[in-house]
Amino acid sequence: DMYAKRCIVKSIGEEKLIRDITAGCDEKNRKEVIKEMKKLLAYNNDQVADALGISRTTLWRILNDH
């Protein structure tokens, strides 16, 4: 349920949650971590790129890297 997810995220704090998620992320798992982050936060690509401090182009490269 999206409402429950938003409540959990708000209680933790989005910035702290993003920092904690990305701190434990290595390059090998970065793509999967970003996909899960998008689902958890209900973010679009622009919001994810902004939260990670990267460009949309860099995000696109990460997500489309095979």
Side-chain angles (χ1 to χ4, degrees):
D1 170 82
M2 188 53 66
Y3 179 74
K5 284 182 183 179
R6 295 301 304 161
C7 287
I8 292 167
V9 169
K10 283 183 184 280
S11 71
I12 295 169
E14 284 188 15
E15 286 183 23
K16 180 182 181 340
L17 184 61
I18 291 166
R19 277 195 315 271
D20 290 350
I21 289 170
T22 55
C25 173
D26 60 13
E27 286 298 315
K28 186 175 112 179
N29 298 310
R30 193 172 192 192
K31 180 177 178 178
E32 292 307 313
V33 168
I34 289 172
K35 285 181 182 179
E36 290 304 315
M37 190 172 88
K38 282 179 65 171
K39 283 189 229 174
L40 176 66
L41 299 172
Y43 276 4
N44 63 34
N45 283 351
D46 288 344
Q47 292 168 307
V48 170
D50 187 50
L52 294 174
I54 60 176
S55 70
R56 286 183 302 165
T57 304
T58 300
L59 179 65
W60 183 87
R61 286 184 185 131
I62 292 167
L63 295 176
N64 292 290
D65 181 35
H66 299 293

